[in-house]
Amino acid sequence: MLKHLPHVLVFVVFLSACAAVTKQEPVTQSIATNPSEPVIVSELPVTDSTALSLVEQPRFEDGSFALTPGFYEAEFKSYCLEPGTPDPSRNDAYFLSAAGGGRKEYVETILRNSYDAPNIDQKHIQLLLWAVVSKKEFSKLPGDVQSTGRQLLNSKQIFELNGGMMGMVKTVATMIPSSGGNDIRKLFDIGTQSYEAYERIAVLREPSKISRPSFKLNQWYQHPEGYYLRYYPESYKKTRIQVYVPQNAQPLPDSSNFVMFDPASMVIAPANSNAQKLGIGAPVIEVVKSVIKIIGNEKRQPRQKEPTGRQKPIAGT
C-alpha cells in the first residue's frame, strides 16, 4: 500500500489543481428558450471596487471602445425607445436586445453621432428618437427637433423619415405600442413645446410588473462575442454599464488584441418586467482618448452621418 502512496498523492494534487482552474472560469447557465433570451452568468471573478473606467480606454474610429481583458464600467446617457411603458426601477434586470426593422438604422445613427455632438441637449435627442419610433414625419417636427435631426442624421435618412421610398418609415415602429406612439404623434401634431408633456405619455410613473423573478438585477449576461455585460438603469435617462472581458475573448482582426465594445449599437430591454426599452448614447462624462485605426475591419460599417464640419476625435492623452 505504501509503495502506491506517491502515485495517489500526485493524483490528488492533479484533481485539486483542476478544481482550482475550473473555479476561475465564468459559470454560465443558459435558460434561454429562444435565441433572443440571455445566457445568465452566475459568477465572475470581479468586484465593483476593481472596475476600471470605460471612458478612459482608447476608442476605435467609430467611437466604440477598444478593450483588453479586464473589468470596466461607466455611466451613459440612455434614451426611451418604447413610449407608454414604466420608467426603469431597481427591480428591473436588463439585458441586450435585438432591434429589428427600419428602426435600428435611424436609432443607431442618432445614438452613435451623439458622441460627436456633446452640445446638443439630451432632451432634444430624446424628442428626435420619440419622433422616429412613433413614425412622425420629419418635416412636421418642431424646429429645434428638426435642427437636432439635421446634425445627427444624413439627408437620405431625413428623406425616408419624411415618407420617401414608398413609406420606408412604416417599418420604424414595429416594436412600439400603438397607444404610446399615437399619443406622441398627437403632441407633435399640435406643436407642443413642453418636454414634460411628451415625457408624461412616454414614461409611465408607475411600478413595472415583474413577470420573471428568476432574472435578478445584478446578474451578468454573455455577449455573443465572448465578453460579459450587466446594466443598471438609474432612470430612462442614465444607465451604468459594466463590462467584463475574459482572457479568452475573441479579438478583432488587425486590432492588436482589442475587443470592440459598441454601446451605440445596443438596445437594452428588461429581462423580467414591462419597463422601458432603452438605447445607449454617449458617456455621461467624456474623456478624450487616443483613436485606434483598424485596417480592413469588416465588422463595422462606416458612419451613416455625412460630413458637417464638426471636429473629429482628437488623438492624444
Side-chain angles (χ1 to χ4, degrees):
M1 178 67 181
L2 292 176
K3 67 180 182 178
H4 296 296
L5 185 58
H7 300 285
V8 173
L9 290 174
V10 170
F11 182 69
V12 170
V13 171
F14 174 77
L15 288 179
S16 299
C18 289
V21 170
T22 302
K23 189 174 182 180
Q24 297 301 316
E25 294 297 319
V27 180
T28 63
Q29 175 190 4
S30 176
I31 64 170
T33 57
N34 65 66
S36 66
E37 292 190 346
V39 175
I40 288 180
V41 183
S42 58
E43 182 180 351
L44 284 177
V46 300
T47 59
D48 284 0
S49 62
T50 63
L52 301 173
S53 172
L54 258 175
V55 297
E56 294 181 1
Q57 308 312 309
R59 304 274 184 89
F60 294 110
E61 289 180 288
D62 66 354
S64 57
F65 295 89
L67 303 181
T68 54
F71 174 38
Y72 308 90
E73 75 170 10
E75 290 185 332
F76 291 81
K77 298 174 184 177
S78 51
Y79 297 88
C80 162
L81 298 180
E82 194 164 16
T85 53
D87 203 17
S89 73
R90 294 182 179 273
N91 297 320
D92 297 305
Y94 272 75
F95 73 108
L96 187 63
S97 173
R103 180 177 86 155
K104 179 176 175 59
E105 176 190 343
Y106 305 120
V107 169
E108 183 174 337
T109 301
I110 291 168
L111 295 175
R112 187 179 307 285
N113 289 330
S114 72
Y115 279 55
D116 294 339
N119 294 327
I120 297 180
D121 192 315
Q122 184 174 359
K123 291 182 178 180
H124 291 164
I125 297 174
Q126 179 65 82
L127 286 170
L128 177 62
L129 287 167
W130 279 332
V132 168
V133 300
S134 64
K135 301 187 296 185
K136 185 60 187 172
E137 289 183 29
F138 185 85
S139 61
K140 296 181 180 179
L141 296 175
D144 53 356
V145 181
Q146 288 193 42
S147 175
T148 299
R150 292 189 185 96
Q151 294 177 73
L152 301 179
L153 295 164
N154 63 40
S155 57
K156 176 178 178 292
Q157 291 169 323
I158 292 173
F159 171 74
E160 292 168 351
L161 291 173
N162 270 324
M165 296 186 66
M166 299 298 293
M168 182 81 174
V169 116
K170 292 180 180 179
T171 64
V172 171
T174 55
M175 300 174 67
I176 302 301
S178 59
S179 59
N182 288 335
D183 291 341
I184 290 285
R185 284 197 301 275
K186 290 177 183 177
L187 290 182
F188 282 122
D189 285 339
I190 63 178
T192 302
Q193 297 296 315
S194 168
Y195 178 85
E196 289 70 23
Y198 293 93
E199 186 180 50
R200 280 194 295 272
I201 291 174
V203 185
L204 302 183
R205 303 302 182 183
E206 63 184 41
S208 59
K209 296 178 181 178
I210 303 296
S211 57
R212 307 179 71 180
S214 60
F215 290 87
K216 304 299 183 184
L217 179 65
N218 62 347
Q219 286 171 330
W220 290 89
Y221 301 98
Q222 187 174 24
H223 189 277
E225 295 183 4
Y227 55 85
Y228 301 88
L229 296 162
R230 60 184 176 186
Y231 306 92
Y232 297 96
E234 182 176 314
S235 70
Y236 79 92
K237 298 178 181 178
K238 185 168 70 174
T239 298
R240 179 165 59 101
I241 301 179
Q242 293 186 334
V243 186
Y244 175 69
V245 182
Q247 292 291 336
N248 61 353
Q250 183 65 41
L252 289 172
D254 304 319
S255 66
S256 303
N257 296 318
F258 287 108
V259 169
M260 176 180 285
F261 173 64
D262 185 14
S265 68
M266 297 179 177
V267 172
I268 62 173
N272 62 351
S273 75
N274 65 332
Q276 294 275 333
K277 280 188 177 180
L278 303 174
I280 305 299
V284 172
I285 299 176
E286 277 282 8
V287 176
V288 177
K289 295 301 294 181
S290 59
V291 176
I292 297 175
K293 294 184 178 181
I294 300 179
I295 307 300
N297 172 29
E298 298 179 355
K299 293 192 66 175
R300 182 60 52 206
Q301 297 297 319
R303 281 180 183 268
Q304 297 289 336
K305 184 71 181 73
E306 295 172 337
T308 60
R310 290 202 308 270
Q311 185 176 359
K312 295 182 179 180
I314 301 173
T317 70

